[in-house]
Amino acid sequence: METCFLGVDNGSTAVKAAVFDRHGRLLGRAGRVVAQQTPQPGAAERDMEQLWLDTAEVIRRAVRSAG
């Protein structure tokens, strides 16, 4: 089994994940736009439970695409 590294980016508009081998080569990646709630002008909120579900799904898809 090869050693791999997983990177996750939870930005304000999307969740992204990428899997790399030990030489830094990209093996797989995935991403998803995340929902934001704007309760008032200038404010943005995210549902943390939904963010975790989205993050877990993106990680699964990235790992699957890496083989």
Side-chain angles (χ1 to χ4, degrees):
M1 181 177 201
E2 181 180 6
T3 298
C4 296
F5 299 92
L6 172 68
V8 178
D9 177 7
N10 275 315
S12 60
T13 59
V15 176
K16 297 169 272 196
V19 180
F20 300 90
D21 70 10
R22 63 188 178 114
H23 301 291
R25 290 184 291 245
L26 178 65
L27 301 176
R29 64 181 173 189
R32 164 182 281 189
V33 174
V34 295
Q36 287 191 358
Q37 302 156 354
T38 51
Q40 63 188 34
E45 298 178 357
R46 291 169 44 188
D47 179 301
M48 291 295 111
E49 184 174 347
Q50 187 60 52
L51 178 61
W52 168 244
L53 294 172
D54 291 340
T55 301
E57 176 60 26
V58 167
I59 290 170
R60 275 192 290 275
R61 288 181 24 223
V63 169
R64 191 177 312 124
S65 73

